[in-house]
Amino acid sequence: MDPRLLRINLERVYERITEAAIRSGRTPAEITLVAVTKTHPPGVIAAAYELGIRDIGENRVEEALSKQPELPPDLRWHMIGHIQRRKARNVVGAFHLVHSVDSVRLAEELDKRARAAGVTVDVLLEVNVTGEESKYGFRTATAAEVDSFVAAAAGVAALPALRVQGLMTMAPFVDDPEETRPIFEAVRRLRERLRRELPAHQWDYLSMGMTNDFEVAIEEGATHVRIGTAIFGERPPPV
Ligand SMILES: *Cc1c(COP(=O)(O)O)cnc(C)c1O
């Protein structure tokens, strides 16, 4: 990709993050831009690195692991996609933050592998607040689902080699991003409840907002936005 275009895109994204933060009485320093580089080759990530990007989001374990050796060691890699349990051992030690812990069974597997490796893994719990069938994440569309999620969160938080840091969600794609606001609000309210009921743990991070809806997500409290298309352009459609 043309490095000049990359620079322009990145500057515009930073501007929009800053404006959304200021609009909602926050400061841009509270928000981490995770540049989502799935499908893009290491050269594109290297160009983003030159422009100051340090947080990289990938949604497939193998793809991330194959790119890592080719890039500077001070990049922080974020795992943002669904992880199959048999791949948990490859995740341990390879990511700065795992955003996509979407079941207690996956959490237990990560914990087991992390203990074996003698490391701790920072994780977010992925929630599906709308009950969309096609999405991963703990379902929290009804009061009963919220209760079971809180119980599950307590179980995950108690695993010795995982350190929970907050929540992640993916809103459905809609033409008017304003429509996603209730989803992000719901995630923030879930965090309030976790803070009340599980105060011994950290629930500070809210990973929410993508190209289509990151400004609304920031207005609703996002601490991490995961942005691909607005920085790197359209991805080739999946085959
Ligand atoms: C691809 C992806 C993103 C980035 O999507 P864009 O619309 O390109 O910004 C964010 N989060 C997850 C989980 C993704 O898979």
Side-chain angles (χ1 to χ4, degrees):
M1 132 172 236
D2 179 349
R4 286 165 305 178
L5 182 57
L6 182 57
R7 180 191 294 273
I8 290 166
N9 287 351
L10 208 47
E11 281 173 1
R12 184 70 193 121
V13 166
Y14 279 127
E15 250 167 42
R16 291 170 61 190
I17 289 173
T18 302
E19 285 160 9
I22 289 170
R23 256 200 313 280
S24 47
R26 308 180 62 202
T27 100
E30 295 168 31
I31 296 143
T32 300
L33 169 60
V34 178
V36 177
T37 54
K38 61 189 183 199
T39 77
H40 296 292
V44 169
I45 304 177
Y49 181 90
E50 290 301 317
L51 295 170
I53 286 288
R54 292 295 178 273
D55 291 275
I56 295 296
E58 288 278 342
N59 71 334
R60 293 180 56 233
V61 180
E62 298 83 356
E63 188 179 333
L65 295 183
S66 77
K67 291 172 183 177
Q68 286 179 353
E70 301 191 42
L71 289 156
D74 58 332
L75 279 175
R76 292 180 289 267
W77 293 82
H78 296 252
M79 182 61 209
I80 63 174
H82 175 65
I83 303 163
Q84 289 169 282
R85 274 192 303 148
R86 62 187 170 83
K87 297 190 181 154
R89 70 187 158 85
N90 301 327
V91 168
V92 165
F95 293 90
H96 171 73
L97 181 63
V98 178
H99 296 225
S100 44
V101 170
D102 54 13
S103 72
V104 172
R105 275 154 54 105
L106 172 63
E108 286 170 349
E109 188 66 24
L110 285 169
D111 175 68
K112 181 172 125 192
R113 299 292 178 177
R115 277 186 286 130
V119 298
T120 305
V121 182
D122 286 298
V123 301
L124 307 181
L125 303 182
E126 180 173 355
V127 289
N128 171 355
V129 303
T130 55
E132 262 183 296
E133 291 293 341
S134 62
K135 286 229 157 65
Y136 290 106
F138 293 92
R139 296 168 67 101
T140 62
T142 66
E145 284 174 351
V146 170
D147 290 343
S148 21
F149 167 64
V150 173
V156 175
L159 294 170
L162 300 193
R163 200 158 44 208
V164 290
Q165 301 280 7
L167 301 175
M168 182 272 224
T169 204
M170 228 174 141
F173 181 90
V174 286
D175 286 329
D176 178 5
E178 193 52 40
E179 285 174 33
T180 60
R181 191 178 297 278
I183 296 173
F184 300 138
E185 270 177 342
V187 177
R188 203 186 47 204
R189 278 199 307 274
L190 276 177
R191 179 178 64 176
E192 304 301 299
R193 176 150 171 203
L194 292 169
R195 280 179 165 163
R196 260 194 329 270
E197 296 191 25
L198 302 167
H201 300 279
Q202 285 285 107
W203 300 104
D204 289 345
Y205 293 172
L206 293 180
S207 169
M208 52 193 201
M210 312 179 13
T211 291
N212 193 50
D213 53 23
F214 71 88
E215 287 147 307
V216 177
I218 289 170
E219 289 167 12
E220 296 304 326
T223 62
H224 292 68
V225 289
R226 309 177 310 268
I227 302 180
T229 309
I231 300 173
F232 302 107
E234 293 287 342
R235 288 178 294 273
V239 280

